[in-house]
Each structure stands twice: as structure tokens, then as C-alpha cells.
Amino acid sequence: LSLMGHKVTVFEQRSKLGGMLRYGIPSYRFPREILDKEIESILSTGIEVKTGITVGSDVSFDELKNKYDALYIAIGAHTDKKTGIEGENSEGVMSAVEMLRAIGDDSLPDFTGKEIVVIGGGNVAMDAARSALRMGAEHVYIVYRRSEAEMPARLEEVHHAKEEGVEFQNLCNPVEILGDENGRVNGLKCIRMELGEPDASGRRRPIVKEGSEFVLDVDTVIMAIGTSPNPLISSTTEGLDTNRWGCLIVNEDMATTKDKVYAGGDAVTGAATVILAMGAGKTAAASIDEILCGKAQTE
């Protein structure tokens, strides 16, 4: 939009720009100096940036809509999901989102000598497990309730995690986080699973193997079972429709159900790829340019 001649302002909740590129992808996979150079190049086109601003509390959505000719929502999917198992609020339990966000802010957790289990089988779980090893963990498990064939993580990510020493406990479901008298994690109770008939997703449904309970002796549990879009804007903005997963609804032009408000990236698709988010941004920019320049009305 800036290159098209429009004046652009970015409102960012965090202290630094980058979104999931900074706060979701570890630096060993995407070096921060490369990210910073990319951001610097983009900002050199004259974009104004306001960091440390939470839309919905520091400034209202309606205020922005009244002040600007068009809005583009790119808030991502940074809200971690919960398992609901007993002991989830124990000391020593954290989400992968929380952990990777701290790394993005250069506040590295100290896992020296820790026994860690990561619950989940996606790319974020692999990132969390491999990052934990880099921060000094003695041993890292990944617990996933389906088989490796059903694991949503990319094959190369699984391969690299194994190469680096992560131990996989597949067909294994966590049932309780155990704690000591001080409420500190000292184990994860799990049960073995076996694959049954395919479910609605086409993957074979995991079924409990009775009497197969066991305990992993760990002192840190990292939840990596998925993320959801930030609910703040959709819950406080009338006329901005979302689907049942909390994702913003858009058309092929990335236009939402509210006039001159567009959206893209994980806030629309749920957790997906960087390249899809970039494509959505370019599509939305073209659509916004058409609307603001009157091209859509004259065609």
C-alpha cells in the first residue's frame, strides 16, 4: 500500500515488529538479523509504526475506523489452547506460544538440567522441543496421541527433532499433570493409545488401551496443541463476523463483513504458513487500493 502511494500506519501490540516471524519461529530457523533487515527495508518506504498499542483497550477499533480510510487486520493466531486435563495450572506448565514469545523478546527461559515434555505433534511442538534443548534441557519428550504417520508437523521437522535427541512418545495421551506438595510439576501421567476407525478428518481415531497408564518423570510441561486468533477485536466489534473457530470471515478480496475493513493471515485461516499470510496481504492491498482510488466503482 505504501508503494502504491498510500499513507500507512501500523499498530502493533508487542514492543517489536515481526509477529509470528519473531514471536513464533525460533531464531535458529529464521535469524533475527535477516528479519530485522526485511522490516527495515519495508519501513523505509515511509510507513509509520506505533508499537506497544493494543487495539481494543489502548485505542478502540471504532476510533481507528473513523480516523482511517481503510483497515487491515493482521493480528495472527497467538492465543494458546488448553487441554483441560487436571494439573494444567501447576507451576512448571507453560504454553509453547508463551515460551516462543519470551524467546522473541530475548528473554530466554533457562531449562538447564530440566526434564521436559512437549504435548502436541505440530510444527510448533517441534520448535518448542528443539528450542528447549538449545536452552539446556537434559531430556525432552514429545507426547502425541496419534501415530507418527498422522503427525501434522512437516517430515523434516520431525527428522531434525529426532536427530537432536528429542524422544517421541507417539500413540500416547496425557491424562494428568502430577505435582508435588508445593504445586510444582513432578510428572505427567499418560495412557497408551491404538488407532481405530477414521474420524471426520479422515485420520484413524485414537482409542485408549485399557490398563496402559504410565508416568513420565518430568519437571516442565509445554503445551503445543494449537493456537486461536486473538478474540479481542471480534468480541468488541459489532458487524465483524467470525466462524466457529474464531477466525475472521473474508471474501476473495480479503474484505470482512464490515465496510472497508480487510483481514488476512492466521486471523483468517487459523495457524498456517508465512507465505499464505504474505499472499493475503498483497491481495488485500490491491483491493484497498481499488476502493480508495475509485477503480472498483468505475469498472
Side-chain angles (χ1 to χ4, degrees), residues 262-283:
Y262 298 76
D266 290 0
V268 169
T269 60
T273 64
V274 173
I275 205 72
L276 277 176
M278 292 170 66
K282 291 191 173 188
T283 298

Side-chain angles (χ1 to χ4, degrees), residues 205-217:
R205 187 187 306 275
I207 301 170
V208 169
K209 291 177 69 174
E210 297 297 338
S212 63
E213 293 91 346
F214 68 101
V215 173
L216 290 175
D217 294 323

Side-chain angles (χ1 to χ4, degrees), residues 29 54 74 78 112 141 154 177 199 209 217 266 272-273 278:
R29 286 214 288 125
T54 299
H78 297 257
T112 303
Y141 300 94
R154 291 158 51 210
I177 296 171
D199 60 16
K209 291 177 69 174
D217 294 323
D266 290 0
T273 64
M278 292 170 66

Side-chain angles (χ1 to χ4, degrees), residues 133-155:
L133 285 173
R134 285 164 170 77
M135 290 181 286
E138 181 70 24
H139 195 92
V140 178
Y141 300 94
I142 280 183
V143 166
Y144 179 59
R145 70 191 186 105
R146 299 180 189 264
S147 73
E148 187 171 316
E150 282 83 29
M151 197 169 274
R154 291 158 51 210
L155 289 176

Side-chain angles (χ1 to χ4, degrees), residues 19 28 43 77 98 102 119 144 156 172 197 251 260 283 285-286 296:
Y28 69 84
L43 297 185
E98 175 188 353
I119 298 175
Y144 179 59
E156 57 265 41
C172 173
E197 295 301 314
N251 64 16
K260 294 188 179 179
T283 298

Side-chain angles (χ1 to χ4, degrees), residues 1-289:
L1 281 166
S2 183
L3 291 174
M4 292 172 180
H6 301 287
K7 181 173 171 53
V8 179
T9 303
V10 174
F11 289 84
E12 166 59 38
Q13 183 181 40
R14 310 297 302 175
S15 61
K16 297 178 181 178
L17 295 175
M20 276 297 189
L21 293 173
R22 184 181 303 279
Y23 296 106
I25 300 176
S27 58
Y28 69 84
R29 286 214 288 125
F30 187 16
R32 291 292 174 262
E33 57 270 20
I34 294 177
L35 174 62
D36 290 338
K37 285 181 180 178
E38 289 289 323
I39 292 172
E40 183 182 345
S41 174
I42 292 168
L43 297 185
S44 70
T45 63
I47 297 167
E48 181 183 2
V49 173
K50 298 185 179 183
T51 55
I53 301 292
T54 299
V55 176
S57 56
D58 296 323
V59 60
S60 76
F61 185 85
D62 288 337
E63 281 181 75
L64 295 182
K65 193 171 186 309
N66 291 333
K67 182 177 180 180
Y68 295 93
D69 296 312
L71 299 182
Y72 180 67
I73 302 172
I75 56 176
H78 297 257
T79 304
D80 56 288
K81 294 180 179 178
K82 306 293 185 184
T83 61
I85 63 175
E86 188 176 345
E88 195 168 26
N89 295 321
S90 302
E91 184 182 352
V93 179
M94 67 176 67
S95 71
V97 170
E98 175 188 353
M99 171 190 169
L100 294 171
R101 185 180 294 152
I103 293 171
D105 278 329
D106 298 320
S107 178
L108 305 182
D110 183 6
F111 290 147
T112 303
K114 297 286 188 183
E115 296 285 333
I116 294 177
V117 59
V118 178
I119 298 175
N123 290 324
V124 173
M126 303 304 135
D127 284 342
R130 296 174 67 192
S131 294
L133 285 173
R134 285 164 170 77
M135 290 181 286
E138 181 70 24
H139 195 92
V140 178
Y141 300 94
I142 280 183
V143 166
Y144 179 59
R145 70 191 186 105
R146 299 180 189 264
S147 73
E148 187 171 316
E150 282 83 29
M151 197 169 274
R154 291 158 51 210
L155 289 176
E156 57 265 41
E157 292 297 319
V158 176
H159 173 72
H160 291 319
K162 288 181 177 179
E163 269 191 334
E164 292 174 7
V166 175
E167 181 179 335
F168 283 70
Q169 292 281 346
N170 294 321
L171 286 170
C172 173
N173 202 37
V175 293
E176 183 182 356
I177 296 171
L178 307 176
D180 59 21
E181 62 276 7
N182 298 315
R184 173 79 200 181
V185 172
N186 64 2
L188 179 69
K189 184 178 180 181
C190 303
I191 192 165
R192 298 290 181 191
M193 311 292 285
E194 56 188 356
L195 295 179
E197 295 301 314
D199 60 16
S201 70
R203 297 185 298 176
R204 294 173 65 191
R205 187 187 306 275
I207 301 170
V208 169
K209 291 177 69 174
E210 297 297 338
S212 63
E213 293 91 346
F214 68 101
V215 173
L216 290 175
D217 294 323
V218 296
D219 49 37
T220 303
V221 177
I222 300 173
M223 300 290 187
I225 58 170
T227 58
S228 301
N230 183 346
L232 186 61
I233 287 182
S234 59
S235 65
T236 58
T237 306
E238 187 178 348
L240 197 60
D241 291 349
T242 58
N243 61 23
R244 62 192 181 98
W245 297 284
C247 298
L248 293 166
I249 295 172
V250 300
N251 64 16
E252 66 275 7
D253 296 323
M254 311 311 295
T256 69
T257 51
K258 202 168 180 66
D259 184 43
K260 294 188 179 179
V261 178
Y262 298 76
D266 290 0
V268 169
T269 60
T273 64
V274 173
I275 205 72
L276 277 176
M278 292 170 66
K282 291 191 173 188
T283 298
S287 302
I288 292 169
D289 181 60

